[in-house]
């Protein structure tokens, strides 16, 4: 993983700050950085999204291609994940340098989607045992400033939300041979329900406390972190300990307490804009408020203090090109 | 080229451009905070990102260090979703390696490498969406990124592609025009001196027509230079306002 060199004194500074619930950038231990989400950024994909979380910058493209259903699930389509850690993010990823991290993230994505409720895979089936849609979810890391997993899971959710799969019909003639017909109307598309697509929340253990949304510097101070993937209803689909250090079981339960607290709120607050959210800029509102937006629209949701103006079009590719 | 008329009788191309007309170019410098230099460019629907790290100490084997100049290291990759059909690998295939090599040659000609002996300059380009002219877009983005990193260069490097259809040279080919299979010329130019940093032509073209195509590409590259120059000046103006000068 991309890393920074920190001196012992810098580490102590960060760790003492975390102890006092005050982080280097002024956040508390359970505050996220400002998140920017933009969908429909690459026009030759079925769905795409770009997410900026601090300086972490992720681009996800989803391509729908026709394939064969898997033998064990004849009437379902499937998702394929690929994570490209490009050298753009850090020179360490040049050549095959980013492959290990890419595989690790892709496998985590497979795991968090490995349940019946995340995505309704039956809608991806065209004809049982013969044809189905395969969604290739390609993640591209553009810049890396900590908390990759959370940012990637948000980007994947937003890209799946944006995905439009052309509607096809299977025609069968007298001899039993089948023909696939594509709808004439380009707007006649299937859209996926992303209501139950989980988001990852990474809790980073620093000293005796834990923080969410750690920056690269904070990740360097942490020995281990806990990765929890939760849906908006508070269902946990995956739990993983990552990092080279060890965690004692008690601290895992302590860290998990963060989750139900905010997920309960998320479920209740679904659909309300973050600006009017009674909890203000707390960590927990993150997954739901960004991603339950109205179809076709996107908005930037800031969760840190001072970013009250949430729906303005700031950041993103549009700003890059000045459009 | 059956079925598709690349150049109408009125002299318009498939996307409504004239023969020598460029697609819309939009660019921005300094898009990333962590890299030393970065730039993003859109040429029509072709979108590319370039990031520059360096000059820094040689990474990896010391034996690669050059005693009299800097080592220019380029990597080209193209996002798996950038093309119409999904690519299996973003980089490491033959085309990407070749593109990396070409970029390296182009920028070795332009960067004043002798000013940074025993050091390394990394240029990474990433195509996000490919719609023809990816090499040109990459070179243009990389130029802006190198300028953003403040690395001394002889001149801008501006690139453009050109093709030849029905006795007319077409500048800045789109994917449809490239796919038609006619001759294709990629040119990287140092615009102030008019020197050519890279020239490559595919397919066959009669010698008599070469000059015409080359001229079209060079003219287009000069036009690109005007646009890039504007982007750089705008960026410097914004940066100096932020600094409060």
């Amino acid at each position: 993983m991309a890393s920074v060199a920190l001196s012992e004194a810098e580490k102590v500074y960060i760790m003492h700050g975390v102890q006092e619930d005050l982080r280097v950038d002024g956040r508390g231990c359970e505050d996220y950085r400002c998140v920017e989400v933009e969908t429909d950024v690459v026009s030759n994909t079925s769905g795409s999204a770009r997410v900026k979380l601090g300086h972490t910058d992720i681009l996800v493209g989803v391509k729908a291609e026709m394939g064969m259903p898997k033998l064990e699930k004849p009437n379902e389509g499937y998702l394929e994940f690929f994570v490209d850690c490009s050298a753009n993010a850090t020179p360490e990823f040049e050549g095959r340098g980013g492959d290990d991290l890419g595989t690790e993230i892709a496998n985590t994505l497979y795991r968090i989607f490995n349940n019946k409720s995340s995505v309704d895979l039956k809608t991806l089936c065209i004809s049982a045992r013969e044809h189905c849609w395969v969604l290739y979810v390609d993640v591209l890391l553009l810049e890396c400033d900590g908390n990759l997993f959370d940012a990637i899971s948000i980007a994947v959710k937003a890209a799946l939300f944006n995905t439009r799969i052309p509607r096809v019909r299977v025609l069968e003639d007298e001899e039993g041979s089948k023909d696939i017909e594509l709808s004439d109307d380009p707007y006649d598309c299937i859209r996926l329900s992303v209501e139950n697509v989980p988001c990852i929340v990474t809790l980073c253990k620093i000293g005796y406390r834990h923080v969410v949304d750690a920056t690269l510097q904070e990740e360097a101070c942490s020995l281990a972190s806990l990765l929890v993937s939760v849906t908006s209803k508070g269902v946990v689909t995956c739990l993983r300990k990552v990092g080279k250090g060890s965690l004692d079981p008690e601290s895992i339960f302590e860290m998990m307490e963060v989750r139900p607290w905010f997920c309960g709120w998320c479920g209740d607050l679904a659909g309300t804009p973050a600006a009017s959210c009674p909890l203000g800029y707390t960590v927990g509102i993150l997954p739901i408020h960004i991603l339950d937006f109205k179809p076709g629209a996107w908005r930037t949701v800031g969760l840190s203090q001072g970013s009250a103006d949430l729906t303005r079009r700031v950041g993103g590719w549009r700003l890059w090109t000045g459009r | 080229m059956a079925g598709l008329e690349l150049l109408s009788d009125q002299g318009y191309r498939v996307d409504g451009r004239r023969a020598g007309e460029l697609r819309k170019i939009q660019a921005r410098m300094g898009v990333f905070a962590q890299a030393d230099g970065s730039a993003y460019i859109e040429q029509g629907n072709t979108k590319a990102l370039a990031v520059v790290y360096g000059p820094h100490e040689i990474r990896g084997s010391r034996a690669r260090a050059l005693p009299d100049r800097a080592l220019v290291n380029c990597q080209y990759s193209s996002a798996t979703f950038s093309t119409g059909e999904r690519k299996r690998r973003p980089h490491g295939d033959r085309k990407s390696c070749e593109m990396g090599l070409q970029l390296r040659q182009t920028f070795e000609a332009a960067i004043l490498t002798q000013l940074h002996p025993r050091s390394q300059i990394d240029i990474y380009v990433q195509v996000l969406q490919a719609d023809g002219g990816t090499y040109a877009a990459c070179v243009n983005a990389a130029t802006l990124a190198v300028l953003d990193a403040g690395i001394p260069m002889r001149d801008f490097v501006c690139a453009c592609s050109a093709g030849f259809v029905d006795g007319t040279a077409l500048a800045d080919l789109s994917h449809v025009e490239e796919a038609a299979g006619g001759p294709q010329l990629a040119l990287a130019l140092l615009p102030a001196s008019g020197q050519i940093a890279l020239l490559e032509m595919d397919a066959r073209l009669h010698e008599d027509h070469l000059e015409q195509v080359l001229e079209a590409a060079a003219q287009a590259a000069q036009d690109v230079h005007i646009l890039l120059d504007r982007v750089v000046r705008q960026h410097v103006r914004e940066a100096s306002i932020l600094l409060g000068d």
Side-chain angles (χ1 to χ4, degrees):
Chain A
M1 184 157 327
S3 56
V4 284
L6 280 189
S7 70
E8 213 44 53
E10 282 172 299
K11 281 188 184 171
V12 169
Y13 179 75
I14 290 173
M15 283 167 81
H16 284 183
V18 167
Q19 218 85 323
E20 305 288 322
D21 197 19
L22 185 64
R23 290 154 76 177
V24 178
D25 44 12
R27 288 182 287 157
C29 284
E30 287 173 8
D31 290 340
Y32 264 85
R33 288 170 285 182
C34 186
V35 188
E36 291 170 16
V37 182
E38 188 180 348
T39 53
D40 223 357
V41 281
V42 184
S43 57
N44 58 4
T45 56
S46 311
S48 60
R50 179 182 182 235
V51 166
K52 271 190 90 142
L53 180 66
H55 283 152
T56 300
D57 204 333
I58 311 285
L59 183 64
V60 173
V62 179
K63 264 189 188 291
E65 281 182 15
M66 231 178 256
M68 264 241 296
K70 292 190 170 159
L71 273 178
E72 60 273 23
K73 284 167 188 163
N75 50 6
E76 287 181 9
Y78 57 96
L79 273 71
E80 288 280 355
F81 294 98
F82 176 76
V83 181
D84 176 20
C85 300
S86 77
N88 274 24
T90 154
E92 289 163 46
F93 292 155
E94 200 193 331
R96 306 189 67 87
D99 285 10
D100 287 349
L101 179 63
T103 316
E104 189 195 342
I105 299 173
N107 285 342
T108 308
L109 287 173
Y110 276 116
R111 207 165 295 172
I112 72 169
F113 280 91
N114 182 20
N115 62 73
K116 283 206 180 74
S117 67
S118 288
V119 179
D120 185 14
L121 295 171
K122 292 209 170 69
T123 55
L124 299 177
C125 182
I126 298 166
S127 67
R129 276 182 294 276
E130 281 167 351
H131 298 287
C132 69
W133 287 109
V134 183
L135 294 186
Y136 289 96
V137 182
D138 294 312
V139 181
L140 181 59
L141 240 73
L142 296 176
E143 201 175 18
C144 197
D145 186 26
N147 207 11
L148 282 180
F149 286 96
D150 295 20
I152 287 174
S153 72
I154 295 169
V156 167
K157 184 166 176 169
L160 287 174
F161 170 81
N162 181 236
T163 301
R164 287 168 175 78
I165 304 162
R167 207 179 286 277
V168 290
R169 277 188 306 167
V170 182
L171 305 172
E172 203 167 343
D173 60 15
E174 306 86 65
E175 289 143 28
S177 66
K178 285 177 181 169
D179 211 9
I180 292 178
E181 191 191 65
L182 190 72
S183 172
D184 293 330
D185 180 9
Y187 295 101
D188 189 13
C189 295
I190 312 173
R191 297 199 54 170
L192 293 169
S193 159
V194 295
E195 200 185 337
N196 290 324
V197 171
C199 278
I200 300 177
V201 176
T202 312
L203 299 140
C204 229
K205 186 95 181 162
I206 298 179
Y208 297 109
R209 293 192 69 147
H210 49 263
V211 299
V212 295
D213 191 22
T215 60
L216 216 50
Q217 282 80 6
E218 286 164 338
E219 277 178 359
C221 301
S222 138
L223 285 174
S225 42
L226 190 69
L227 197 145
V228 191
S229 89
V230 282
T231 66
S232 58
K233 295 197 178 72
V235 179
V236 178
T237 64
C238 172
L239 185 70
R240 260 189 82 196
K241 183 236 134 201
V242 287
K244 53 186 183 292
S246 54
L247 285 175
D248 63 291
E250 267 165 46
S251 67
I252 290 186
F253 290 113
E254 196 184 300
M255 284 153 116
M256 291 281 286
E257 267 172 33
V258 177
R259 180 198 57 79
W261 173 71
F262 64 72
C263 283
W265 280 107
C266 281
D268 292 338
L269 293 169
T272 44
S276 66
C277 156
L279 287 182
Y281 29 82
T282 41
V283 33
I285 322 303
L286 169 81
I288 197 78
H289 279 308
I290 302 166
L291 300 162
D292 278 5
F293 37 47
K294 302 271 181 300
W298 70 278
R299 66 166 181 254
T300 310
V301 175
L303 295 154
S304 49
Q305 210 161 1
S307 53
D309 190 5
L310 300 163
T311 45
R312 236 167 17 121
R313 288 201 157 202
V314 293
W317 306 88
R318 301 233 154 81
L319 184 80
W320 284 17
T321 53
R323 247 181 295 165
Chain B
M1 274 178 254
L4 189 66
E5 194 185 35
L6 290 179
L7 193 66
S8 72
D9 299 335
Q10 288 78 29
Y12 288 105
R13 289 153 71 176
V14 180
D15 47 9
R17 287 183 287 159
R18 289 279 188 187
E21 204 174 327
L22 294 176
R23 290 175 291 177
K24 186 174 185 181
I25 295 184
Q26 287 180 302
R28 196 169 169 88
M29 292 165 76
V31 287
F32 291 135
Q34 287 175 342
D36 293 312
S38 56
Y40 170 73
I41 198 164
E42 282 183 12
Q43 286 186 246
N45 278 329
T46 302
K47 297 171 185 172
L49 263 175
V51 172
V52 171
Y53 290 91
H56 56 72
E57 212 177 326
I58 295 268
R59 229 191 358 265
S61 143
R62 291 271 163 158
R64 293 197 305 155
L66 305 168
D68 56 338
R69 60 198 160 93
L71 179 81
V72 179
N73 174 37
C74 293
Q75 183 181 292
Y76 167 93
S77 57
S78 153
T80 40
F81 50 77
S82 63
T83 45
E85 197 162 322
R86 184 180 176 271
K87 284 182 58 165
R88 288 179 58 84
R89 291 176 66 183
H91 52 80
D93 55 335
R94 200 188 300 176
K95 192 193 162 215
S96 308
C97 292
E98 191 202 356
M99 287 286 246
L101 203 69
Q102 287 179 349
L103 277 171
R104 180 179 170 168
Q105 288 170 359
T106 312
F107 280 91
E108 271 178 345
I111 295 174
L112 297 173
T113 49
Q114 68 277 15
L115 295 179
H116 304 285
R118 293 180 299 281
S119 43
Q120 178 177 352
I121 297 167
D122 294 316
I123 303 174
Y124 301 124
V125 290
Q126 174 92 49
V127 174
L128 302 176
Q129 193 172 333
D131 184 35
T134 48
Y135 172 76
C138 288
V139 169
N140 296 335
T143 305
L144 292 178
V146 172
L147 286 167
D148 187 40
I151 295 170
M153 292 213 285
R154 233 166 240 117
D155 195 357
F156 277 75
V157 197
C158 297
C160 200
S161 58
F164 190 73
V165 171
D166 305 334
T168 317
L170 306 181
D172 193 15
L173 301 184
S174 68
H175 178 68
V176 182
E177 289 160 340
E178 276 184 4
Q184 247 185 75
L185 183 129
L187 175 81
L189 198 71
L190 305 176
S193 54
Q195 296 277 317
I196 290 171
L198 183 119
L199 175 67
E200 198 184 52
M201 203 196 69
D202 305 342
R204 53 177 224 166
L205 178 71
H206 195 277
E207 197 191 335
D208 295 348
H209 300 308
L210 181 64
E211 199 185 337
Q212 190 192 347
V213 179
L214 197 61
E215 211 152 87
Q219 183 53 47
Q222 293 285 4
D223 293 344
V224 170
H225 173 237
I226 297 172
L227 293 165
L228 296 191
D229 190 65
R230 200 179 292 164
V231 171
V232 174
R233 284 178 198 278
Q234 177 68 25
H235 177 74
V236 172
R237 202 173 304 132
E238 280 170 14
S240 58
I241 288 170
L242 289 176
L243 285 172
D245 300 337

